[in-house]
Amino acid sequence: MALAIMCSGGDAPGMNPAIKKFVDYVYEKGETPYLVYNGLEGLIDGKIVKALHKDVAGILHRGGAIIRSSRSKRFYEYKYRKQAYENLKKHNIDGLVVLGGDGSFRAMDRMSDEFPLNFVGIPTTIDNDIYGTDTCLGVDTALNVIRDALDKIRDTASTFSRAFVVEVMGRECGYLATVSAITSGAEVCVIPEADFNIQVAQEHLKKEIEEGRSYILSIVAEGTKKTKDIAEWLENDIGMETRVTVLGHIQRGGSPTVFDRMLAFEFTIRAVDYLFMSKSSNKVVVFENGEYGMKEIDEVVGNRYELDPELLGMLNRLD
Ligand code: F6P
């Protein structure tokens, strides 16, 4: 039996440990692993290579993905999906593990409706915006990158009596912003999922400043597009000198944390076992309420991820 692995969409730390475990585990089971290079674009162009142990040696600790990733406009066209399927068949590949987000799962789901393809998705995105799983591969590393940046920003903010607005990634999801605000004790957190009552926040902050507060840390989720507004408010209405830091793509890089490495191994073993065992439907591996499981792809892509209300309740909100 031959199985392949590929990355699709935005990269996330944890992809390399998953790729390594995939190759080692498939060999351990006496079967043949393949690597699809360059994501969906590579699948269309036939960049599919039998994996050797040496290809995945020494990659565990590295961020990014040695087999690279891509987003593909061509994949929206039937003729390219057919080409992609035929490329897999040329190597007699029976199943595919896809590390990606729900856009990638949707693309693979479409392909599997058209061709007899078995795949298992591993939720991989720093945004943590995939329905049905409490966490995705890469989230913990991104949170630690943000924590490190916020600890440093606090040093300068407190020394120089300034307000800081730190913009974090997450697309339309405020998970990274919320957890980062909780764990860094930020005074302000602005996310797409909740209204931010600027009047109430202003009253609280002004009172605290009168009582001696000398700096303010604010986290803004990129999806709100409110970074500039919050900075102007802090500078003009709160009256504190303000600086903005957009953390950007450093949040996508770095050596995967221990948690993400373990998650990569657990997800990958389950994905491979499923492909060995069953060919009936396409699934996504999930981690929910402390347990691993499999969900139907339709359920995962057909529902929207929502922030846990308990998490929202933990925010040190001033509004
Ligand atoms: O989905 C991951 C992510 O890093 C988002 O948080 C961000 O909005 C987007 O990708 C950035 O995309 P790009 O790398 O294409 O600029």
Side-chain angles (χ1 to χ4, degrees):
M1 191 175 194
L3 297 184
I5 190 165
M6 67 178 277
C7 301
S8 176
D11 49 276
M15 283 178 158
N16 280 332
I19 294 163
K20 177 159 178 53
K21 178 54 78 181
F22 173 81
V23 172
D24 291 349
Y25 190 61
V26 173
Y27 272 129
E28 202 181 303
K29 294 279 164 183
E31 308 293 350
T32 313
Y34 280 82
L35 303 172
V36 179
Y37 284 84
N38 297 356
L40 289 175
E41 284 289 294
L43 198 58
I44 294 169
D45 294 333
K47 302 251 184 289
I48 304 171
V49 181
K50 186 173 154 184
L52 302 173
H53 279 299
K54 75 167 178 53
D55 297 328
V56 294
I59 67 166
L60 253 186
H61 62 296
R62 287 168 56 185
I66 57 145
I67 57 174
R68 299 186 289 277
S69 184
S70 64
R71 298 190 180 106
S72 173
K73 288 210 173 92
R74 286 193 293 165
F75 208 78
Y76 288 106
E77 288 182 53
Y78 176 81
K79 66 173 178 181
Y80 291 115
R81 292 196 294 275
K82 184 162 179 280
Q83 194 170 310
Y85 174 70
E86 283 162 1
N87 287 335
L88 288 169
K89 282 295 109 185
K90 267 185 220 155
H91 297 278
N92 294 318
I93 290 167
D94 306 289
L96 182 62
V97 175
V98 179
L99 301 164
D102 59 5
S104 308
F105 298 161
R106 225 168 265 135
M108 297 313 300
D109 193 32
R110 178 108 184 249
M111 187 169 155
S112 68
D113 285 344
E114 297 161 339
F115 307 100
L117 168 76
N118 304 303
F119 82 96
V120 174
I122 293 184
T124 309
T125 166
I126 64 162
D127 300 338
N128 211 34
D129 60 351
I130 299 180
Y131 177 86
T133 186
D134 293 340
T135 195
C136 303
L137 200 51
V139 173
D140 188 62
T141 308
L143 284 172
N144 278 288
V145 169
I146 299 170
R147 177 200 48 73
D148 183 54
L150 291 175
D151 288 350
K152 288 170 178 155
I153 284 171
R154 180 184 293 282
D155 289 345
T156 175
S158 60
T159 308
F160 226 78
S161 302
R162 277 173 169 166
F164 266 83
V165 180
V166 182
E167 181 185 290
V168 301
M169 279 185 166
R171 285 190 194 278
E172 301 307 311
C173 179
Y175 183 87
L176 289 178
T178 304
V179 174
S180 300
I182 293 167
T183 53
S184 65
E187 285 69 45
V188 174
C189 178
V190 185
I191 52 172
E193 292 88 344
D195 291 333
F196 180 65
N197 189 331
I198 214 155
Q199 292 309 331
V200 180
Q202 186 157 324
E203 275 168 36
H204 279 275
L205 283 175
K206 285 210 155 166
K207 185 165 174 288
E208 288 188 12
I209 289 168
E210 271 168 35
E211 289 166 2
R213 166 176 293 287
S214 62
Y215 71 96
I216 298 167
L217 202 51
S218 318
I219 317 288
V220 179
E222 63 171 359
T224 63
K225 299 191 167 53
K226 290 201 174 131
T227 305
K228 196 165 162 267
D229 295 348
I230 296 296
E232 283 172 3
W233 166 65
L234 289 165
E235 179 95 36
N236 302 331
D237 301 303
I238 301 295
M240 197 176 277
E241 191 181 23
T242 302
R243 293 289 185 267
V244 173
T245 302
V246 177
L247 290 184
H249 287 76
I250 64 159
Q251 294 163 98
R252 287 239 298 261
S255 179
T257 57
V258 169
F259 181 86
D260 272 334
R261 295 180 199 195
M262 291 302 288
L263 196 64
F265 301 156
E266 298 278 6
F267 274 166
T268 305
I269 287 170
R270 281 166 176 80
V272 169
D273 280 345
Y274 182 79
L275 287 171
F276 279 152
M277 192 184 73
S278 158
K279 295 185 175 172
S280 55
S281 67
N282 298 305
K283 304 263 187 194
V284 173
V285 203
V286 298
F287 182 69
E288 205 179 18
N289 301 322
E291 285 186 12
Y292 290 93
M294 307 290 276
K295 280 204 160 48
E296 290 294 336
I297 181 81
D298 292 348
E299 188 188 348
V300 173
V301 299
N303 286 287
R304 202 182 148 83
Y305 174 84
E306 282 186 14
L307 272 188
D308 181 352
E310 267 186 43
L311 207 55
L312 285 174
M314 285 167 80
L315 270 178
N316 177 21
R317 293 179 70 88
L318 292 176
D319 57 341

